[in-house]
């Protein structure tokens, strides 16, 4: 029983981190909140269990409390699952950091405290049964078994639950397991339990509620749909799960001509928006392609880091460019192939981490396109000097790197660190931003090279949506000035030292706040 409850604790922590990411992001401050509340819940659980065990309660009373704890945890989990899809967006909109603390209290505090209280209670039961003769009262064995259960819980959750079922259903499965423990302990108690019938009814009630909630999980979440966003009405078409997050494919309502739009959505990020005819409606896809041809009019080879819906590598391959694409998430390749017309026959895809792939780069590419996002931006280890040094080695003579980034130039500190770090290896840089009045945290594109950049050539792309054509042409004509204000206080970030950590965290919080305020709550669940 203790082995299973230990596994449930770690399973719940893993699932909670995935549940909370779309709402609160992955910044330093938010993870500080998650870990702090988790440890406080465990500490108070151990303390309260010890206080209960230290009283003058007999072995029957101790067994009664021990049986109740997993049932309490199960009730708390079911309750939190019923409310978090509606409460978490409000908490995130109010304050991301404090909201993450509050969300942990809702989702984790009671079940973790209840499960951790079982350890000292079991030690007290063993002590009572042994007449106080055991040197450690069985504490070593108790914590050994609980810790092994925690290890098992990590592996089962990571490889058995997360890739196959939703976070919502997975969390309810933890509630079912805890309720089963309470039922089993009261049905076959190792020691007499006072009021066993009533304790059994409480445990059975937890079991019934948890099973009913799990049975109706999809229907309960389904009540949040359809959702309105960007002037369209959306329904979920597919969910593709992996260890790197859940990819949602959203389908808009069809117009009178049967046309619709698909949206690729992951962890709060709209990765791409594609019309039913396969044409991208996302500005960044055309910006990356146009900047590629502006600086390398006739590229023979290209490396694309980050597949997404596969639009950019497919368009390059369609012009005769030999394209390699690198993607860490198998779900992205499945989504691109199944829903967005990606053809791996025209693009060689490497399922690998971008950092690892660059280290074993065996050729010099004319263009490397960097479009790497996870959570609230590009992962830290992909924006260090060491990463850019590896990238430079993958460029052939006259090769250029084209980056898709996000920047809020009203808060330029984090972006200054990125530019300073990039310039340490690729010193010749051009920055491009679309003119979107009123928009702050927007796509910003960087062209970088180890040698002097040539004058950009005029570019005429086909099939650019009318709403993007004018903006794209104006952006290419007028690069953004790299003035001192933009570069001020920029620090070079390395694998060994990240002096930009707090500025980057602040930038991530600003971005996540914009996401939570703009997308419907239904998009963020699961």
């Amino acid at each position: 029983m203790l082995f299973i409850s230990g596994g449930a604790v770690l399973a719940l922590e893993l699932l909670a981190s995935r549940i909370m990411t779309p709402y609160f992001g992955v910044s330093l401050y938010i993870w500080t909140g998650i870990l702090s509340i988790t440890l406080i819940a465990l500490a108070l659980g151990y303390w309260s269990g010890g206080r209960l065990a230290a009283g003058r309660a007999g072995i029957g009373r101790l067994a009664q409390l021990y049986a109740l704890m997993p049932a309490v945890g199960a009730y708390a989990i079911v309750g939190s699952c019923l409310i978090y899809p509606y409460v978490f967006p409000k908490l995130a909109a109010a304050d991301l950091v404090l909201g993450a603390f509050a969300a942990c209290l809702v989702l984790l505090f009671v079940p973790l405290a209840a499960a951790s209280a079982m350890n000292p209670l079991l030690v007290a039961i063993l002590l009572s049964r042994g007449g106080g003769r055991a040197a450690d009262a069985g504490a070593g064995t108790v914590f050994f078994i609980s810790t092994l259960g925690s290890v098992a819980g990590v592996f089962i959750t990571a490889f058995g639950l997360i890739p196959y079922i939703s976070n919502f259903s997975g969390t309810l499965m933890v509630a079912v397991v805890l309720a089963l423990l309470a039922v089993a302990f009261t049905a076959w108690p190792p020691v007499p339990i006072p009021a066993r019938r009533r304790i059994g009814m409480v445990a059975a009630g937890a079991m019934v509620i948890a099973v009913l909630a799990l049975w109706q999980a999809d229907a309960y979440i389904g009540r949040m749909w359809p959702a309105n966003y960007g002037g369209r009405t959306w329904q979920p078409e597919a969910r593709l799960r992996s260890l790197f997050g859940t990819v949602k494919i959203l389908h808009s309502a069809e117009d009178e001509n049967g046309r619709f739009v698909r949206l690729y959505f992951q962890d709060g990020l709209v990765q791409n928006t594609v019309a039913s005819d396969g044409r991208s409606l996302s500005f960044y896809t055309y910006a990356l392609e146009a900047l590629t041809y502006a600086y390398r009019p006739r590229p023979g080879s290209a490396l694309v880091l980050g597949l997404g819906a596969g639009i950019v590598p497919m368009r390059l391959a369609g012009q005769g460019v030999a394209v390699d694409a690198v993607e860490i998430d198998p779900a992205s390749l499945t989504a691109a192939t199944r829903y967005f017309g990606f053809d791996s026959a025209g693009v060689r895809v490497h399922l690998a981490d971008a950092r690892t792939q660059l280290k074993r780069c065996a050729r010099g590419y004319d263009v490397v396109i960097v479009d790497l996002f996870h959570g609230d931006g590009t992962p830290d280890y992909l924006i260090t000097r060491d990463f850019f040094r590896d990238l430079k080695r993958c460029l052939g003579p006259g090769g250029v790197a084209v980056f898709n980034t996000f920047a809020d130039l009203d808060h330029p500190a984090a972006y200054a660190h990125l530019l300073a770090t990039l310039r340490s290896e690729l010193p010749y840089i051009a920055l491009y931003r679309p003119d979107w009045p009123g928009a702050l945290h927007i796509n910003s594109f960087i062209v970088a090279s180890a040698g002097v950049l040539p004058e950009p050539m005029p570019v005429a792309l086909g099939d650019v949506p009318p709403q993007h054509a004018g903006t794209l042409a104006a952006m290419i004509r007028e690069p953004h000035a790299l003035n001192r204000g933009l570069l001020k206080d920029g620090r070079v970030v390395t694998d060994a030292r990240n002096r930009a950590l707090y500025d980057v965290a602040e930038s991530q919080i600003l971005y996540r706040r914009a996401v939570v305020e703009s997308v419907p709550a239904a998009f963020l669940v699961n």
Side-chain angles (χ1 to χ4, degrees), residues 503-517:
D503 290 328
V504 171
E506 190 66 31
S507 175
Q508 290 175 341
I509 287 175
L510 290 171
Y511 178 69
R512 181 57 53 172
R513 182 176 295 120
V515 168
V516 172
E517 290 174 351

Side-chain angles (χ1 to χ4, degrees), residues 152-173:
V154 169
F155 280 97
I156 292 171
T157 305
F159 300 106
L161 293 182
I162 287 174
Y164 304 109
I165 65 173
S166 70
N167 302 324
F168 188 83
S169 295
T171 305
L172 288 171
M173 286 187 68

Side-chain angles (χ1 to χ4, degrees), residues 71-86:
V72 169
Y75 280 116
I77 292 171
V78 173
S80 65
C81 283
L82 293 179
I83 66 172
Y84 88 72
Y86 302 96

Side-chain angles (χ1 to χ4, degrees), residues 105-181:
L105 290 173
V106 171
L107 198 60
L108 290 175
F109 188 81
V110 173
L112 289 188
S116 59
M118 294 172 67
N119 289 17
L121 286 170
L122 183 57
V123 170
I125 292 171
L126 294 175
L127 181 61
S128 297
R129 293 182 68 184
R133 291 188 298 272
D136 69 346
T141 301
V142 166
F143 285 96
F144 173 75
I145 294 173
S146 177
T147 303
L148 286 183
S150 297
V151 174
V154 169
F155 280 97
I156 292 171
T157 305
F159 300 106
L161 293 182
I162 287 174
Y164 304 109
I165 65 173
S166 70
N167 302 324
F168 188 83
S169 295
T171 305
L172 288 171
M173 286 187 68
V174 176
V176 171
V177 169
L178 289 174
L180 271 173
L181 289 181

Side-chain angles (χ1 to χ4, degrees), residues 131 173 218 289 429 520:
M173 286 187 68
D218 290 341
E289 185 183 3
I429 290 177

Side-chain angles (χ1 to χ4, degrees), residues 127-355:
L127 181 61
S128 297
R129 293 182 68 184
R133 291 188 298 272
D136 69 346
T141 301
V142 166
F143 285 96
F144 173 75
I145 294 173
S146 177
T147 303
L148 286 183
S150 297
V151 174
V154 169
F155 280 97
I156 292 171
T157 305
F159 300 106
L161 293 182
I162 287 174
Y164 304 109
I165 65 173
S166 70
N167 302 324
F168 188 83
S169 295
T171 305
L172 288 171
M173 286 187 68
V174 176
V176 171
V177 169
L178 289 174
L180 271 173
L181 289 181
V183 170
F185 190 82
T186 53
W188 299 282
V191 296
I193 301 178
R196 178 181 166 189
R197 182 183 181 88
R198 281 181 291 176
I199 299 298
M201 291 178 64
V202 172
M207 183 69 195
V208 170
I209 290 173
V211 169
L212 285 175
L214 180 59
W215 175 45
Q216 291 295 312
D218 290 341
Y220 183 75
I221 295 299
R223 295 169 55 193
M224 304 181 75
W225 298 94
N228 295 317
Y229 174 69
R232 294 185 173 93
T233 301
W234 301 89
Q235 287 278 8
E237 182 176 2
R239 294 182 181 89
L240 305 171
R241 300 180 179 90
S242 76
L243 297 177
F244 301 97
T246 299
V247 173
K248 283 185 178 181
I249 308 300
L250 305 178
H251 192 290
S252 75
E254 296 183 0
D255 64 15
E256 61 275 9
N257 297 314
R259 293 174 298 195
F260 61 88
V261 174
R262 280 195 176 99
L263 193 150
Y264 182 119
F265 191 84
Q266 184 172 18
D267 282 343
L269 291 175
V270 177
Q271 301 279 8
N272 214 318
T273 307
V274 180
S276 52
D277 62 2
R279 183 174 58 164
S280 172
L281 301 178
S282 295
F283 177 82
Y284 83 89
T285 58
Y286 302 102
L288 290 174
E289 185 183 3
L291 289 170
T292 294
Y293 292 128
Y295 285 91
R296 288 301 301 253
R298 290 177 294 277
S301 62
L303 175 64
V304 180
L305 303 179
L307 180 67
I311 301 297
V312 173
M314 282 295 291
R315 285 181 64 90
L316 292 174
Q319 297 299 315
V321 181
V323 181
D324 288 338
V326 179
E327 175 57 53
I328 195 172
D329 190 353
S332 290
L333 178 58
T334 302
T337 304
R338 190 175 298 172
Y339 298 101
F340 298 101
F342 178 76
D343 184 2
S344 57
V347 176
R348 186 167 63 169
V349 179
H350 306 268
L351 284 174
D353 181 81
R355 184 73 181 267

Side-chain angles (χ1 to χ4, degrees), residues 35-126:
L35 294 175
S36 297
I37 294 297
T38 296
L39 293 174
I40 289 171
L42 293 175
L44 289 178
Y46 294 137
W47 177 80
S48 61
R51 293 280 293 180
L52 291 170
R56 297 188 177 183
I59 190 170
R61 175 64 173 168
L62 292 171
Q64 188 182 67
L65 292 170
Y66 186 76
L68 278 174
M69 290 302 163
V72 169
Y75 280 116
I77 292 171
V78 173
S80 65
C81 283
L82 293 179
I83 66 172
Y84 88 72
Y86 302 96
V87 172
F88 281 14
K90 295 181 174 60
L91 292 176
D95 187 284
L96 281 175
V97 178
L98 295 178
F101 276 81
C104 279
L105 290 173
V106 171
L107 198 60
L108 290 175
F109 188 81
V110 173
L112 289 188
S116 59
M118 294 172 67
N119 289 17
L121 286 170
L122 183 57
V123 170
I125 292 171
L126 294 175

